Coordinates of all heavy atoms in Angstrom, one line a residue:
I1284 N -1.0 21.5 0.9 CA -2.2 21.4 0.2 C -3.4 21.9 1.0 O -4.3 22.7 0.4 CB -2.5 19.9 -0.2 CG1 -1.4 19.4 -1.2 CG2 -3.9 19.8 -0.8 CD1 -1.5 17.9 -1.5
A1285 N -3.4 21.6 2.3 CA -4.5 22.1 3.1 C -4.5 23.6 3.2 O -5.6 24.2 3.4 CB -4.3 21.5 4.5
H1286 N -3.4 24.2 3.1 CA -3.3 25.7 3.1 C -3.6 26.3 1.7 O -3.4 27.5 1.6 CB -1.9 26.1 3.6 CG -1.8 26.1 5.1 ND1 -1.3 24.9 5.8 CD2 -2.2 26.9 6.1 CE1 -1.3 25.1 7.1 NE2 -1.9 26.3 7.3
G1287 N -4.0 25.5 0.8 CA -4.4 26.0 -0.5 C -3.3 26.2 -1.5 O -3.5 26.9 -2.5
M1288 N -2.1 25.7 -1.2 CA -1.0 26.0 -2.2 C -1.1 25.1 -3.4 O -1.6 23.9 -3.3 CB 0.3 25.7 -1.5 CG 0.7 26.6 -0.3 SD 2.2 26.3 0.5 CE 3.4 26.6 -0.8
T1289 N -0.7 25.6 -4.5 CA -0.8 24.8 -5.8 C 0.5 23.9 -5.9 O 1.5 24.1 -5.1 CB -0.8 25.8 -7.0 OG1 0.4 26.5 -7.0 CG2 -2.0 26.7 -6.9
T1290 N 0.5 23.0 -6.8 CA 1.6 22.2 -7.0 C 2.9 23.0 -7.4 O 4.0 22.7 -6.8 CB 1.3 21.2 -8.2 OG1 0.2 20.4 -7.8 CG2 2.5 20.3 -8.4
K1291 N 2.7 24.0 -8.2 CA 3.8 24.8 -8.6 C 4.4 25.6 -7.4 O 5.6 25.7 -7.2 CB 3.4 25.8 -9.7 CG 4.5 26.6 -10.3 CD 4.0 27.5 -11.4 CE 5.1 28.3 -12.0 NZ 4.6 29.2 -13.2
E1292 N 3.5 26.1 -6.5 CA 3.9 26.8 -5.3 C 4.7 25.9 -4.3 O 5.7 26.3 -3.7 CB 2.7 27.5 -4.6 CG 2.1 28.7 -5.4 CD 0.8 29.1 -4.9 OE1 0.1 28.3 -4.2 OE2 0.4 30.3 -5.1
I1293 N 4.1 24.7 -4.2 CA 4.8 23.7 -3.3 C 6.2 23.4 -3.8 O 7.2 23.3 -3.0 CB 3.9 22.5 -3.1 CG1 2.6 22.8 -2.5 CG2 4.7 21.4 -2.2 CD1 1.6 21.7 -2.4
A1294 N 6.3 23.2 -5.1 CA 7.6 22.9 -5.7 C 8.6 24.0 -5.5 O 9.7 23.7 -5.1 CB 7.4 22.6 -7.2
A1295 N 8.1 25.2 -5.7 CA 9.0 26.4 -5.5 C 9.5 26.5 -4.0 O 10.7 26.7 -3.8 CB 8.3 27.6 -5.9

Side-chain angles (χ1 to χ4, degrees):
I1284 294 172
H1286 282 93
M1288 295 179 66
T1289 65
T1290 299
K1291 187 176 181 179
E1292 290 170 337
I1293 297 171

